[in-house]
Amino acid sequence: DSERIPNLIVIRDGARLSEISESIIKFGVTEKELREALKNLRPPSPFVGSNLEGFLYPAMYSFTQGTEATQILNQMLQKFQWATEGIDWGSVEGFSANEVLTIASLVESEGTPDVFGNVARVIFNRLQIGMPLQFDSTVHYALDRRGEIRVSLKETKVASKYNTFLNRGLPPGPIGSPTRAAFDATLNPPQGDWLYFVTVKPGETRFTSSYETFLEWKAEY
């Protein structure tokens, strides 16, 4: 409750770094200060790189007015480490810790908690056979937009390394901040031969290995 808890910064599940940055700036941090803080901070071990996309954990944070950007970001990073405690980042054979994070962000963006595991299995199945992921969420990320359900044929051709319609394999990094549920689903997905899925109505997401069945369900949606 923002009326009872002052200076609230809310990071929703799957939020992007750009969206989190907007919330921090709205809190009162200057763009310059935030930019410097982001440049100087690094992801926790065993991750490599300098981009904090995916590492600022979804939660509600409250800070006293005047708290510096570095302190805010550090608390979000600490929350990530606390929420992911006990995860063996090397447990998915053939995938690095950064790639596991990226897959979890796709799971978070493409599914709902009740089907996270199935979505993760679809991702691994497609990667295994060299099939493009073709996820709308990666195009939305490349275009930096929210709220659109579909992407147009023209948009699927946008020149971006994050466009999984044009590029096979995983995008170069996460497309948002995953929750622990998305991580658990990525690390322990159920067995299945699914390659396609579609949500035909709220609470009903269907999975299949048949493209023809997928098209029928898509038409139903």
Side-chain angles (χ1 to χ4, degrees):
D1 185 345
S2 58
E3 293 182 3
R4 294 180 61 239
I5 305 176
N7 307 321
L8 201 62
I9 297 178
V10 179
I11 300 181
R12 66 179 184 79
D13 299 355
R16 300 170 186 157
L17 180 58
S18 60
E19 296 165 335
I20 297 169
S21 296
E22 287 179 12
S23 297
I24 295 174
I25 291 170
K26 188 177 179 181
F27 165 78
V29 171
T30 66
E31 289 187 40
K32 181 180 178 181
E33 182 189 350
L34 180 58
R35 191 165 54 248
E36 285 297 313
L38 287 170
K39 186 173 68 174
N40 293 326
L41 289 173
R42 294 290 182 272
S45 178
F47 299 93
V48 296
S50 58
N51 192 340
L52 294 187
E53 184 73 270
F55 294 99
L56 305 180
Y57 196 79
M60 290 182 285
Y61 301 87
S62 181
F63 302 95
T64 56
Q65 206 64 42
T67 302
E68 296 180 351
T70 299
Q71 292 175 279
I72 293 173
L73 294 173
N74 269 325
Q75 186 161 329
M76 294 174 179
L77 287 170
Q78 289 168 11
K79 183 75 171 181
F80 172 89
Q81 291 178 286
W82 174 83
T84 60
E85 187 177 3
I87 287 180
D88 179 2
W89 297 107
S91 62
V92 184
E93 188 177 354
F95 293 89
S96 67
N98 287 69
E99 289 171 331
V100 170
L101 174 65
T102 298
I103 294 170
S105 75
L106 296 174
V107 169
E108 187 77 53
S109 297
E110 287 287 330
T112 49
D114 57 315
V115 295
F116 275 171
N118 293 27
V119 173
R121 176 52 63 194
V122 169
I123 292 172
F124 285 118
N125 287 347
R126 288 192 175 192
L127 292 174
Q128 186 174 16
I129 65 174
M131 179 180 174
L133 294 179
Q134 296 184 322
F135 284 165
D136 291 357
S137 58
T138 62
V139 176
H140 292 315
Y141 182 84
L143 296 172
D144 193 24
R145 72 179 186 190
R146 289 279 192 189
E148 299 291 330
I149 295 176
R150 293 194 178 102
V151 295
S152 67
L153 183 61
K154 180 180 179 181
E155 288 167 344
T156 62
K157 298 177 181 177
V158 63
S160 169
K161 292 180 179 178
Y162 284 88
N163 183 351
T164 55
F165 285 84
L166 286 183
N167 305 290
R168 293 179 185 273
L170 292 172
I175 61 170
S177 292
T179 57
R180 176 63 189 246
F183 283 120
D184 288 341
T186 300
L187 294 164
N188 297 289
Q191 293 300 315
D193 61 353
W194 315 298
L195 292 172
Y196 309 95
F197 62 93
V198 61
T199 300
V200 294
K201 60 184 178 181
E204 187 177 346
T205 301
R206 302 175 185 173
F207 295 80
T208 181
S209 59
S210 166
Y211 184 61
E212 290 71 23
T213 301
F214 166 72
L215 291 179
E216 291 174 9
W217 290 348
K218 191 175 180 181
E220 181 180 338
Y221 159 75

